[in-house]
Amino acid sequence: MAATQSRTDAFEREPVALTERITSDGSSHWPAEPGRYRLVVARACPWANRSVIVRRLLGLEPVLSMGIAGPLHDERSWRFHNDPDNRDPVLGIEYLREAYEKAHPGFDAGVTVPTVVEIASGKAVTNNFQCLTLDFSTQWRAYHREGAPDLYPEQHRAEIDEINEAVYDDVNNGVYKAGFAKGQGSYEKAYRALFTRLDRLSERLATRRYLVGDTITEADVRLWTTLVRFDAVYHGHFKCNRQKLAEMPVLWAYARDLFQTPGFGDTIDFEQIKQHYYGVHAEINPTGIVPLGPDPRGWLTAHGREELGGRPFGDGTPPGPPPEAERVPAIA
């Protein structure tokens, strides 16, 4: 997901350019159809990470292939620099922008991940990251694996939506508001909103294993993709340094619980995360030096959250191992 700066000293995120949705009911130009699309992501990006997790949990790998951009990019957009010949092996493109320009010649807005690309035409279809994972749950239901969890249960949707809105404003986007602020006042406002929200979430999670109900939902996915990056990049790089995640006992245990749940930690590459943030944001880190720490082995320690009960996948089952080509390095 791209970061942009407003004319004031406060950070404002640029709206997504391609708001199309892929649906099963004919309400859009793009039907949910096996083999038609490729999901383009980057391991570094928290917004893309949501789609990777939900795709895994629901078992959509056989029907929706995934291209993985490398952690580095420039003004030309995300690049497939970890693939052979620096090109996506299915789409044949070097830069994700090429798919946007095929769809919209002369395209001059933000090129972001996740993006869904139609394979046959090579055209970018949508980068609507806020709706994409919800559509995986609701519009791609016919292609879910047997035992797939319900991540957006109808009876809890209002509560999930309310939590998601607050988490987006203060946490997911809040770390960026702090990190890219151009003035002390804007930074302090974002910093205070972030930690106030984290304190409230900690209170909520002190007595319950998951944010809504007794199973993993979309709300957990969205919060977790920020938490898992917190100590590695947001604490130092974005100056969100009241505490490390590892110093917030409830949230640290909650995050470790999910990290050790199939479909979460097995999507994370800490090295690519650090390479992206410290290597691309030259205005914040002009030297481009990538820190060696923190030690990721803490993510594998016992968390004790089982005592709160809950059923991670509800009446469903865990996903199997990720496909070989999509595996991330194990924590040594």
Side-chain angles (χ1 to χ4, degrees), residues 7-331:
R7 294 180 182 178
T8 71
D9 63 4
F11 168 82
E12 293 180 7
R13 185 166 296 281
E14 181 180 349
V16 295
L18 307 180
T19 57
E20 291 276 13
R21 298 180 68 169
I22 298 171
T23 62
S24 61
D25 60 4
S27 59
S28 76
H29 298 296
W30 303 101
E33 184 178 306
R36 180 167 179 172
Y37 308 102
R38 187 161 175 83
L39 173 67
V40 176
V41 302
R43 295 291 185 192
C45 176
W47 318 102
N49 197 181
R50 295 179 181 182
S51 62
V52 178
I53 292 168
V54 172
R55 172 179 172 271
R56 257 226 1 94
L57 295 180
L58 300 179
L60 292 175
E61 295 100 327
V63 299
L64 179 64
S65 71
M66 188 168 77
I68 305 173
L72 302 177
H73 63 69
D74 55 28
E75 69 280 357
R76 290 168 290 183
S77 78
W78 294 91
R79 181 178 177 231
F80 298 94
H81 61 87
N82 284 342
D83 283 309
D85 300 321
N86 296 318
R87 293 184 178 276
D88 179 86
V90 172
L91 300 173
I93 57 177
E94 182 178 4
Y95 288 93
L96 181 54
R97 175 171 292 278
E98 297 172 50
Y100 283 68
E101 291 175 342
K102 280 187 179 180
H104 303 279
F107 182 86
D108 62 358
V111 175
T112 64
V113 288
T115 293
V116 176
V117 179
E118 185 182 40
I119 295 172
S121 68
K123 295 179 179 180
V125 172
T126 182
N127 65 340
N128 193 347
F129 72 102
Q130 293 284 44
C131 295
L132 189 60
T133 50
L134 299 181
D135 291 341
F136 284 173
S137 286
T138 60
Q139 304 301 310
W140 290 79
R141 190 177 295 274
Y143 308 108
H144 289 182
R145 66 179 175 86
E146 184 177 354
D150 188 351
L151 300 176
Y152 195 46
E154 194 163 355
Q155 70 272 26
H156 292 308
R157 287 181 186 177
E159 187 176 8
I160 291 171
D161 291 346
E162 181 180 6
I163 290 174
N164 285 348
E165 183 177 0
V167 167
Y168 174 79
D169 287 339
D170 296 336
V171 181
N172 300 147
N173 204 36
V175 293
Y176 285 84
K177 293 177 186 177
F180 286 107
K182 297 296 187 182
Q184 188 70 29
S186 294
Y187 161 72
E188 291 184 6
K189 181 180 179 181
Y191 175 101
R192 292 192 178 101
L194 166 66
F195 283 102
T196 296
R197 182 63 58 190
L198 290 178
D199 288 343
R200 292 177 182 173
L201 291 165
S202 183
E203 291 171 5
R204 182 182 183 92
L205 289 165
T207 57
R208 55 195 304 163
R209 192 170 179 186
Y210 305 111
L211 283 170
V212 179
D214 67 348
T215 65
I216 292 166
T217 67
E218 176 81 16
D220 298 296
V221 174
R222 295 192 181 200
L223 173 60
W224 187 81
T225 57
T226 296
L227 296 183
V228 76
R229 289 163 172 78
F230 202 89
D231 288 1
V233 289
Y234 302 142
H235 177 270
H237 186 58
F238 279 176
K239 305 179 184 70
C240 300
N241 60 356
R242 189 193 78 177
Q243 291 164 289
K244 297 176 182 176
L245 178 67
E247 296 167 346
M248 294 181 269
V250 172
L251 292 178
W252 175 224
Y254 165 81
R256 298 200 318 277
D257 184 6
L258 289 175
F259 188 92
Q260 295 169 33
T261 299
F264 285 82
D266 55 26
T267 70
I268 296 299
D269 187 324
F270 284 113
E271 290 306 310
Q272 288 199 27
I273 289 170
K274 291 188 295 183
Q275 287 166 7
H276 170 70
Y277 282 92
Y278 288 99
V280 169
H281 299 156
E283 69 273 35
I284 299 176
N285 185 42
T287 66
I289 293 172
V290 179
L292 293 177
D295 188 339
R297 289 177 292 183
W299 285 97
L300 304 180
T301 60
H303 52 76
R305 297 281 293 178
E306 304 94 336
E307 296 177 4
L308 295 173
R311 303 172 300 145
F313 301 100
D315 295 327
T317 58
E324 181 66 33
E326 298 178 9
R327 295 183 183 178
V328 298
I331 293 176

